[in-house]
Amino acid sequence: MPLLDEKLEEFYHEVVQRNQGEPEFHQAVLEVLGSLGPVLAKHPELREHKVIERICEPERQIIFRVPWQDDSGTVQINRGFRVEFNSALGPYKGGLRFRSSVNLSVIKFLGFEQTFKNALTGMPIGGGKGGSDFDPKSRSDAEVMRFCQSFMTELYRHLGEYTDVPAGDIGVGQREIGYLFGQYKRITNRYESGALTGKGLDWGGALVRTEATGYGLVFFVREMLKARGQSFEGKKCVVSGAGNVSIYTIEKVQQLGGKVVACSDSSGYIYDEQGIDLNCVKEIKEVKRARIAEYAKANPRCRYVAGGSIWDVPCDVALPCATQNEITGHDAQKLVKNGCTVVGEGANMPTMPEGIRVFQEAGVAFGPGKAANAGGVATSALEMQQNASRDAWTFEYTEQRLDDIMTSIHKRCYETAEEYGTPGNYVNGANISGFFKVARAMMALGLI
Ligand code: NAP
């Protein structure tokens, strides 16, 4: 547990009491509070306005029933969520996650993180998150469509380009966004492109959105390496997951001269000493929607480890891109022992608090998700800009905008960490800088 001053510790216990049974949310709050002591000492007005108390309470939480019928005609009931966390900087913005493990705690932790992440991008967007305990993985296209239509039949009334703008996350890719947007359009009788992002290119989507989180992560880590006088050239990298974030992380690492030797899914990991063949991964995951084990069948030189930990693989740079709490303290120790010196989080909160401590004590450069994976939401905001102006930018121009945004997030985190006396501590840099931007806006807008 990070060291908190007496008042913050008291407040943290209140958060736990008030939000019982929500361990992921507690973890996310604690991680931010751990950085805020020096900010409160410097700015006593934040205590006076109870900004921290207000920021930890979502503005609105919506939980709803999602009834639908599967292909056999059996009635299924899922639970839908949208937590509208903070709109001080702009409309709520944040993805939808469809996975059986989704619950209120997971959505609240993601919405809380999203608020600070969105502030770090410098774009006018507030924070929110949503989803359902529905898992599209084992479902037919027709079932996914019926589920999405039922989900949107309730959610649509809470959305709008100036109100709340969801996007994808785990289990929600372009197929799901298509069905969701179709139903939104049908119910509202409006082609309101700016109400959802992650759309297909033919119907209001933006170039680079698909690649944005992965590419953005690599731009951020490139800056971390640069700050240490290094680059990706020749670096051995491990990327967990094999979904949207992982695939485009691997692509950009390879373009910058790094070698990715391992990636995974929730069943196991593959190790390919010669470097991952990304076209093969894309074919398995984006076209066939199959398991990563297929990779080893197509590439006999490669090793598949069912159920093992990908963090056993020695690397210079570790890029967790699968899910929360995937790097334990023990995994972090193994990574450090095997020579890893840089970690960049593509996923949200993939490193457990003990893991962060291990990395920081070992002098590993550690880039937290709320800064390092902000490229996805930043490019969503660029998609909203294009929708609002009925424009479509080129790939090169949009990628350059993304690169500029990630470079400036890195600079902001780096400089803030120095200003508050913890040079190189990106966790403090991101938390303080994101928090302070939201806090200033909240104080300016009054007690609402
Ligand atoms: P995705 O396309 O659904 O891919 C998730 C990948 O992670 C899949 O390969 C999945 O394997 C694997 N995975 C999930 N749970 C796992 C577990 N417990 N152990 C090992 N592997 C696991 O999702 P995504 O959009 O790439 O999102 C990945 C992470 O990035 C999430 O934390 C998300 O919140 C974060 N993120 C995403 C975006 C974005 O723009 N998409 C933006 C910011 C942050 P299976 O196929 O076996 O489930």
Side-chain angles (χ1 to χ4, degrees):
M1 175 163 168
L3 274 183
L4 300 180
D5 73 24
E6 203 184 315
K7 286 241 169 64
L8 282 176
E9 188 160 344
E10 207 178 289
F11 172 65
Y12 173 67
H13 288 300
E14 268 172 40
V15 169
V16 173
Q17 276 303 313
R18 219 171 136 73
N19 303 276
Q20 290 188 25
E22 298 178 3
E24 292 86 358
F25 179 55
H26 304 160
Q27 185 182 333
V29 169
L30 183 59
E31 197 249 336
V32 171
L33 295 184
S35 300
L36 297 186
V39 189
L40 295 180
K42 208 166 163 182
H43 297 278
E45 72 276 14
L46 293 168
R47 285 208 204 266
E48 206 181 298
H49 288 264
K50 294 218 171 178
V51 176
I52 297 188
E53 287 83 342
R54 284 156 62 194
I55 235 169
C56 291
E57 187 68 26
E59 287 178 15
R60 191 175 295 114
Q61 306 183 56
I62 303 146
I63 304 182
F64 51 99
R65 179 173 64 200
V66 189
W68 58 285
Q69 264 183 318
D70 68 19
D71 286 344
S72 70
T74 306
V75 170
Q76 302 280 345
I77 308 291
N78 286 96
R79 189 172 285 174
F81 301 90
R82 186 72 183 165
V83 174
E84 298 181 332
F85 226 103
N86 195 299
S87 61
L89 297 178
Y92 309 105
K93 182 91 198 82
L96 297 171
R97 177 176 292 191
F98 290 171
R99 198 168 177 91
S100 49
S101 53
V102 161
N103 57 37
L104 186 60
S105 172
V106 168
I107 299 298
K108 279 174 72 176
F109 116 66
L110 289 164
F112 183 72
E113 289 269 304
Q114 193 81 46
T115 301
F116 305 111
K117 179 190 307 192
N118 293 3
L120 282 171
T121 66
M123 325 278 289
I125 41 180
K129 199 84 187 186
S132 174
D133 57 355
F134 167 79
D135 206 332
K137 246 195 331 244
S138 51
R139 296 293 176 185
S140 69
D141 280 355
E143 289 178 321
V144 171
M145 182 180 76
R146 286 197 292 276
F147 173 81
C148 288
Q149 290 179 340
S150 180
F151 183 84
M152 187 52 92
T153 301
E154 170 56 33
L155 189 66
Y156 87 94
R157 69 190 83 245
H158 305 288
L159 306 186
E161 63 178 313
Y162 296 109
T163 312
D164 186 349
V165 185
D169 189 76
I170 293 180
V172 180
Q174 214 175 87
R175 174 183 61 172
E176 289 76 15
I177 294 290
Y179 296 145
L180 292 164
F181 183 64
Q183 184 73 350
Y184 182 83
K185 183 177 86 61
R186 179 197 207 180
I187 296 177
T188 60
N189 193 31
R190 282 160 63 90
Y191 206 108
E192 193 186 335
S193 304
L196 270 169
T197 58
K199 299 180 293 295
L201 289 177
D202 294 332
W203 38 280
L207 286 164
V208 192
R209 177 61 190 92
T210 307
E211 296 83 356
T213 307
Y215 279 20
L217 167 66
V218 179
F219 292 145
F220 188 90
V221 175
R222 179 198 62 200
E223 294 304 301
M224 291 169 75
L225 286 162
K226 211 186 273 176
R228 299 186 150 207
Q230 298 177 25
S231 78
F232 265 109
E233 196 61 49
K235 291 271 185 306
K236 199 187 252 196
C237 307
V238 166
V239 177
S240 63
N244 170 267
V245 179
S246 317
I247 285 176
Y248 294 97
T249 295
I250 297 172
E251 186 161 285
K252 191 48 83 180
V253 168
Q254 291 179 342
Q255 286 173 12
L256 297 189
K259 181 157 93 167
V260 179
V261 293
C263 70
S264 59
D265 62 20
S266 57
S267 312
Y269 73 86
I270 51 165
Y271 174 70
D272 192 338
E273 179 65 46
Q274 290 177 27
I276 299 284
D277 171 358
L278 188 59
N279 286 334
C280 181
V281 175
K282 282 187 179 175
E283 175 70 19
I284 293 167
K285 287 294 173 184
E286 294 185 334
V287 182
K288 296 187 188 152
R289 294 179 190 269
R291 309 308 298 157
I292 201 67
E294 295 288 315
Y295 184 96
K297 291 184 194 151
N299 299 276
R301 64 170 189 272
C302 145
R303 184 156 54 92
Y304 173 67
V305 181
S309 167
I310 194 172
W311 311 118
D312 289 343
V313 177
C315 62
D316 304 305
V317 179
L319 302 167
C321 294
T323 193
Q324 66 267 14
N325 291 334
E326 54 169 310
I327 300 186
T328 61
H330 180 65
D331 294 327
Q333 277 166 355
K334 263 187 305 185
L335 282 163
V336 170
K337 189 163 152 267
N338 288 335
C340 174
T341 56
V342 177
V343 176
E345 294 188 327
N348 285 310
M349 211 167 74
T351 314
M352 298 181 82
E354 178 61 12
I356 298 178
R357 197 182 57 76
V358 170
F359 289 139
Q360 289 181 332
E361 284 178 7
V364 169
F366 175 78
K370 64 170 77 66
N373 73 31
V377 74
T379 309
S380 277
L382 298 180
E383 183 176 331
M384 290 164 73
Q385 274 187 30
Q386 292 168 76
N387 292 149
S389 58
R390 304 276 187 271
D391 200 356
W393 305 340
T394 63
F395 193 95
E396 292 70 25
Y397 175 75
T398 318
E399 188 182 6
Q400 190 55 53
R401 293 276 308 256
L402 170 64
D403 193 340
D404 294 345
I405 292 167
M406 296 314 295
T407 304
S408 74
I409 295 176
H410 175 273
K411 185 164 182 280
R412 207 167 296 143
C413 295
Y414 191 85
E415 290 176 354
T416 307
E418 280 202 330
E419 185 190 335
Y420 281 86
T422 52
N425 185 330
Y426 291 97
V427 173
N428 281 350
N431 284 341
I432 294 172
S433 151
F435 166 79
F436 206 43
K437 178 151 189 188
V438 181
R440 276 198 310 268
M442 285 175 75
M443 287 191 291
L445 298 184
L447 193 54
I448 53 172

